[in-house]
Amino acid sequence: MIKSVRAAAAAALAAPLLATVFAAPASAAPEDVTLTAEVQGNDVAFTLTNNSDSPHVVLCSVYIAPAATPSNAVFGEIRSPSAGSEERFTATVDDGSYQIEWYCRELTGDPNDPEESWGTGNEGKYTKTADLIFFTAPVIPDDDSAGSLGDLDPGVLVGVLGALAAGSLALGSS
């Protein structure tokens, strides 16, 4: 009986230690680091905002790839926005349908201090806090300067309708 009480006590003491050793990474608030994209013609203007209060470096990677072949990036940028700042940058793409993915990670340099992460996917240490951004270039203006629907190239219309179905008009992600 004394042996089983000691074993139970040892197990009870070991549980908090194991929980500390195998603690999950810190949960990142989606609004801490965000990326928005605005498309005008074939130009994409990005705003990468770091609203976190992290004292550590936040390293971000942003990619544009064809929607049909997302592993073939046509644009890539690495940025490190400081806490409380935003960075703006641009890219130019050929006509076509694309997706934007992005990943940011806090670099603590300490294995006992879990890194927070943000972005569009679960790549390794990255937590998904935003959806992929889909768009078709060139974007058709929303005023009457484009003419009637009869003037549209059917390929452009199909791309725009596909982008609408994917919810890409918002082009923002948090």
Side-chain angles (χ1 to χ4, degrees), residues 22 25-26 47 50 52 54 59-60 76-78 80 82 86 116 119 125 127-128 143 147 160-161:
F22 296 105
T47 303
N50 180 352
S52 76
S54 174
L59 187 64
C60 300
E77 185 84 13
I78 296 184
S80 184
S82 57
E86 68 180 30
E116 290 191 78
K125 293 184 174 188
T127 301
K128 181 177 180 176
D143 61 6
V160 168
L161 293 176

Tab-separated table of all heavy atoms in Angstrom, residues 22 25-26 47 50 52 54 59-60 76-78 80 82 86 116 119 125 127-128 143 147 160-161:
chain	number	residue	atom	x	y	z
A	22	PHE	N	6.912	19.750	-22.245
A	22	PHE	CA	6.275	19.552	-23.540
A	22	PHE	C	5.172	20.571	-23.800
A	22	PHE	O	4.203	20.283	-24.455
A	22	PHE	CB	5.708	18.132	-23.637
A	22	PHE	CG	6.782	17.090	-23.578
A	22	PHE	CD1	6.984	16.332	-22.440
A	22	PHE	CD2	7.617	16.890	-24.659
A	22	PHE	CE1	7.983	15.378	-22.383
A	22	PHE	CE2	8.625	15.944	-24.608
A	22	PHE	CZ	8.811	15.185	-23.470
A	25	PRO	N	3.351	25.560	-28.199
A	25	PRO	CA	3.732	26.936	-28.481
A	25	PRO	C	2.630	27.902	-28.056
A	25	PRO	O	1.467	27.558	-28.013
A	25	PRO	CB	3.902	26.946	-30.010
A	25	PRO	CG	4.114	25.526	-30.390
A	25	PRO	CD	3.392	24.703	-29.362
A	26	ALA	N	3.015	29.113	-27.768
A	26	ALA	CA	2.056	30.130	-27.352
A	26	ALA	C	1.040	30.361	-28.460
A	26	ALA	O	1.344	30.241	-29.633
A	26	ALA	CB	2.794	31.422	-27.041
A	47	THR	N	0.529	45.425	-47.450
A	47	THR	CA	0.762	46.087	-46.175
A	47	THR	C	0.884	44.993	-45.127
A	47	THR	O	-0.066	44.231	-44.903
A	47	THR	CB	-0.380	47.054	-45.806
A	47	THR	OG1	-0.534	48.010	-46.851
A	47	THR	CG2	-0.072	47.769	-44.493
A	50	ASN	N	2.584	44.709	-37.960
A	50	ASN	CA	2.960	43.998	-36.737
A	50	ASN	C	2.362	44.761	-35.552
A	50	ASN	O	2.914	45.757	-35.102
A	50	ASN	CB	4.482	43.902	-36.607
A	50	ASN	CG	4.921	43.166	-35.358
A	50	ASN	OD1	4.118	42.834	-34.491
A	50	ASN	ND2	6.217	42.910	-35.259
A	52	SER	N	1.864	43.245	-32.700
A	52	SER	CA	2.255	42.504	-31.501
A	52	SER	C	3.090	43.394	-30.589
A	52	SER	O	3.643	44.403	-31.027
A	52	SER	CB	3.059	41.252	-31.864
A	52	SER	OG	4.380	41.596	-32.227
A	54	SER	N	5.638	42.051	-29.054
A	54	SER	CA	6.796	41.190	-28.867
A	54	SER	C	8.092	41.989	-28.849
A	54	SER	O	8.325	42.833	-29.719
A	54	SER	CB	6.878	40.148	-29.987
A	54	SER	OG	8.077	39.412	-29.855
A	59	LEU	N	9.926	37.588	-38.118
A	59	LEU	CA	10.406	37.369	-39.481
A	59	LEU	C	9.253	36.847	-40.329
A	59	LEU	O	8.584	35.884	-39.950
A	59	LEU	CB	11.562	36.364	-39.480
A	59	LEU	CG	12.269	36.159	-40.803
A	59	LEU	CD1	12.955	37.454	-41.252
A	59	LEU	CD2	13.284	35.046	-40.687
A	60	CYS	N	9.012	37.487	-41.483
A	60	CYS	CA	7.874	37.147	-42.337
A	60	CYS	C	8.330	36.797	-43.745
A	60	CYS	O	9.255	37.413	-44.266
A	60	CYS	CB	6.906	38.323	-42.421
A	60	CYS	SG	6.230	38.835	-40.837
A	76	GLY	N	8.575	36.380	-54.134
A	76	GLY	CA	8.823	36.068	-52.732
A	76	GLY	C	9.540	37.227	-52.070
A	76	GLY	O	10.395	37.870	-52.683
A	77	GLU	N	9.159	37.514	-50.856
A	77	GLU	CA	9.738	38.640	-50.127
A	77	GLU	C	9.879	38.245	-48.658
A	77	GLU	O	8.993	37.599	-48.103
A	77	GLU	CB	8.824	39.859	-50.256
A	77	GLU	CG	9.358	41.113	-49.655
A	77	GLU	CD	10.305	41.881	-50.578
A	77	GLU	OE1	10.384	41.589	-51.775
A	77	GLU	OE2	10.965	42.789	-50.066
A	78	ILE	N	10.987	38.609	-48.046
A	78	ILE	CA	11.190	38.378	-46.620
A	78	ILE	C	11.264	39.747	-45.949
A	78	ILE	O	12.011	40.617	-46.398
A	78	ILE	CB	12.449	37.552	-46.353
A	78	ILE	CG1	12.265	36.168	-46.956
A	78	ILE	CG2	12.755	37.493	-44.860
A	78	ILE	CD1	13.366	35.196	-46.718
A	80	SER	N	10.847	41.961	-41.952
A	80	SER	CA	10.925	41.875	-40.499
A	80	SER	C	10.367	43.156	-39.881
A	80	SER	O	11.114	44.037	-39.470
A	80	SER	CB	12.373	41.652	-40.067
A	80	SER	OG	12.439	41.488	-38.679
A	82	SER	N	9.044	45.669	-37.271
A	82	SER	CA	9.213	45.815	-35.823
A	82	SER	C	7.836	45.971	-35.169
A	82	SER	O	6.858	46.325	-35.828
A	82	SER	CB	10.120	47.002	-35.501
A	82	SER	OG	9.594	48.179	-36.063
A	86	GLU	N	4.197	49.035	-39.624
A	86	GLU	CA	3.724	48.377	-40.831
A	86	GLU	C	4.729	48.622	-41.942
A	86	GLU	O	5.412	49.647	-41.955
A	86	GLU	CB	2.321	48.840	-41.225
A	86	GLU	CG	2.193	50.259	-41.681
A	86	GLU	CD	0.750	50.618	-42.059
A	86	GLU	OE1	-0.199	50.060	-41.494
A	86	GLU	OE2	0.600	51.483	-42.933
A	116	GLU	N	5.618	32.560	-31.155
A	116	GLU	CA	4.298	32.763	-31.727
A	116	GLU	C	4.465	32.826	-33.240
A	116	GLU	O	5.514	33.202	-33.746
A	116	GLU	CB	3.679	34.056	-31.221
A	116	GLU	CG	3.283	33.991	-29.755
A	116	GLU	CD	2.450	35.175	-29.345
A	116	GLU	OE1	1.241	35.174	-29.658
A	116	GLU	OE2	3.014	36.087	-28.730
A	119	GLY	N	-0.093	33.600	-40.016
A	119	GLY	CA	-0.060	33.444	-41.462
A	119	GLY	C	-1.128	32.521	-41.987
A	119	GLY	O	-2.118	32.227	-41.316
A	125	LYS	N	6.419	25.263	-37.927
A	125	LYS	CA	6.093	25.945	-36.681
A	125	LYS	C	5.022	27.024	-36.849
A	125	LYS	O	4.735	27.753	-35.923
A	125	LYS	CB	7.342	26.605	-36.098
A	125	LYS	CG	8.375	25.638	-35.636
A	125	LYS	CD	9.512	26.394	-34.994
A	125	LYS	CE	10.500	25.432	-34.379
A	125	LYS	NZ	11.509	26.125	-33.594
A	127	THR	N	1.405	28.759	-37.228
A	127	THR	CA	0.002	28.583	-36.884
A	127	THR	C	-0.843	29.322	-37.910
A	127	THR	O	-0.534	30.462	-38.267
A	127	THR	CB	-0.272	29.189	-35.485
A	127	THR	OG1	0.574	28.536	-34.547
A	127	THR	CG2	-1.715	29.018	-35.087
A	128	LYS	N	-1.926	28.702	-38.369
A	128	LYS	CA	-2.800	29.357	-39.338
A	128	LYS	C	-3.667	30.379	-38.613
A	128	LYS	O	-4.462	30.028	-37.753
A	128	LYS	CB	-3.677	28.342	-40.059
A	128	LYS	CG	-4.571	28.992	-41.075
A	128	LYS	CD	-5.383	27.993	-41.848
A	128	LYS	CE	-6.242	28.778	-42.824
A	128	LYS	NZ	-6.996	27.949	-43.697
A	143	ASP	N	-15.685	50.619	-62.147
A	143	ASP	CA	-16.467	51.711	-62.730
A	143	ASP	C	-16.865	51.319	-64.152
A	143	ASP	O	-16.605	50.218	-64.601
A	143	ASP	CB	-15.691	53.024	-62.694
A	143	ASP	CG	-14.395	52.975	-63.498
A	143	ASP	OD1	-14.151	51.962	-64.176
A	143	ASP	OD2	-13.622	53.948	-63.439
A	147	GLY	N	-16.277	49.247	-70.156
A	147	GLY	CA	-17.204	48.958	-71.244
A	147	GLY	C	-18.240	47.945	-70.805
A	147	GLY	O	-18.431	47.680	-69.631
A	160	VAL	N	-12.325	35.972	-63.009
A	160	VAL	CA	-12.950	36.840	-62.015
A	160	VAL	C	-14.041	36.086	-61.270
A	160	VAL	O	-14.150	36.170	-60.048
A	160	VAL	CB	-13.504	38.129	-62.676
A	160	VAL	CG1	-14.398	38.894	-61.718
A	160	VAL	CG2	-12.360	38.994	-63.160
A	161	LEU	N	-14.858	35.328	-61.996
A	161	LEU	CA	-15.914	34.552	-61.334
A	161	LEU	C	-15.313	33.507	-60.398
A	161	LEU	O	-15.826	33.277	-59.302
A	161	LEU	CB	-16.826	33.895	-62.370
A	161	LEU	CG	-17.677	34.868	-63.195
A	161	LEU	CD1	-18.470	34.122	-64.257
A	161	LEU	CD2	-18.594	35.680	-62.310
